[in-house]
Amino acid sequence: MGYRKNLGIILIMTSLLLLGGCGWSMLMTSEERAAVAFKSGTEAYETAEFSQATGFFRQVPPESALYNQSVQMILKIPFQRGMQAFEMQDYDRSVREFRKIDKTSPDYEKAQRFLQYAIFAQQQDLYNDLKGEDRIKALGIMAEMAVELRDTDILSNSLETIGSELSQSSSASESEELMKMMENMISVTEDPEVRKNTLNQLLGDFKKLHQNPNLRPQMFNLIGQIKVGML
């Protein structure tokens, strides 16, 4: 009898070894299996293997104490995917990922902010590819977005771009439109260095703008607006 009992134990252990992880999993409780799945999901998440992470987190059943945490981790994944694409300058993909993020996600507010950054980058790429009136229209959209974002770097770079377009412009109506963009952006620009750089750009075109009597009032108003903000 003892021999048969030992043989039975050996056969069971051999079967478990042959089954590998599945065999050991059979010996686990439901909560232990959930803990393993959650741990595997967390490890995959931390190494940016987001598809694998999602698969592991979905293995955690609703009755598990780890279920709510798993749901929260799943909700975080679109944001991480969006950031991954954003850092790779794949703005089309980052926009798609950020738009997937539900309001219940803990990263919703951050995602909305980076969504705007990604859309701005898309618009900038479009602007670089366009010419003529379409190029100025694209720049106008960028200027509106810069005002909305109120990011110092974006405001600075956009004002510099507008200043460059203003220097090259030979159209009074286009110059007027460009200065309106500047006015709107300067109104939300608090950085004195950005204001100073914009003023220097504008003064560099002073002679050209001053020659057109229709542009003088707008030019002087813009210069005054910039200087007041520097006091």
Side-chain angles (χ1 to χ4, degrees):
M1 290 292 292
Y3 171 77
R4 289 182 179 178
K5 182 178 180 181
N6 290 336
L7 180 60
I9 292 171
I10 291 170
L11 288 172
I12 291 171
M13 294 300 294
T14 302
S15 298
L16 290 174
L17 287 171
L18 290 172
L19 287 169
C22 294
W24 292 114
S25 178
M26 290 169 62
L27 299 177
M28 293 180 182
T29 65
S30 174
E31 192 60 26
E32 286 171 339
R33 286 195 294 273
V36 170
F38 185 82
K39 183 175 184 294
S40 298
T42 302
E43 289 172 352
Y45 178 89
E46 290 173 350
T47 56
E49 299 291 341
F50 299 122
S51 295
Q52 289 185 28
T54 301
F56 283 124
F57 289 132
R58 283 178 176 163
Q59 291 177 26
V60 178
E63 62 271 16
S64 169
L66 293 168
Y67 179 73
N68 288 338
Q69 291 181 61
S70 297
V71 170
Q72 289 300 305
M73 292 300 289
I74 290 171
L75 288 173
K76 282 176 170 285
I77 285 173
F79 177 73
Q80 294 301 325
R81 280 179 170 155
M83 287 304 301
Q84 187 181 58
F86 187 86
E87 289 166 2
M88 294 170 65
Q89 297 184 357
D90 185 350
Y91 299 118
D92 292 343
R93 184 161 68 90
S94 66
V95 166
R96 288 196 301 272
E97 292 296 339
F98 289 137
R99 280 180 170 159
K100 291 178 185 176
I101 297 172
D102 189 83
K103 288 184 178 181
T104 58
S105 169
D107 296 310
Y108 178 76
E109 294 298 330
K110 284 190 292 183
Q112 293 306 299
R113 182 73 173 171
F114 276 99
L115 174 61
Q116 290 302 104
Y117 282 131
I119 293 173
F120 181 88
Q122 285 180 320
Q123 188 65 28
Q124 192 168 36
D125 288 342
L126 178 63
Y127 160 78
N128 290 331
D129 291 337
L130 294 173
K131 293 181 180 179
E133 290 184 11
D134 290 337
R135 182 178 173 88
I136 300 303
K137 286 178 182 177
L139 183 56
I141 294 172
M142 285 171 57
E144 290 174 3
M145 293 186 70
V147 169
E148 186 177 345
L149 284 167
R150 300 197 179 198
D151 180 280
T152 299
D153 289 338
I154 287 179
L155 285 166
S156 176
N157 292 336
S158 299
L159 281 165
E160 187 175 339
T161 301
I162 293 169
S164 178
E165 289 285 356
L166 186 61
S167 295
Q168 299 172 42
S169 176
S170 58
S171 163
S173 60
E174 186 177 277
S175 296
E176 183 180 355
E177 187 176 354
L178 289 165
M179 282 195 286
K180 282 181 181 177
M181 294 180 202
M182 278 187 164
E183 288 171 0
N184 292 334
M185 294 175 69
I186 284 295
S187 68
V188 298
T189 301
E190 298 179 357
D191 191 318
E193 193 64 29
V194 175
R195 284 177 169 267
K196 180 181 176 182
N197 291 339
T198 304
L199 179 61
N200 289 338
Q201 273 191 304
L202 197 57
L203 292 176
D205 294 314
F206 182 87
K207 185 176 180 180
K208 185 186 80 168
L209 295 171
H210 191 268
Q211 287 175 347
N212 189 323
N214 295 324
L215 294 177
R216 285 176 199 163
Q218 186 180 10
M219 179 189 66
F220 284 123
N221 284 336
L222 180 54
I223 290 172
Q225 182 184 357
I226 295 171
K227 285 188 172 182
V228 166
M230 293 170 64
L231 296 177

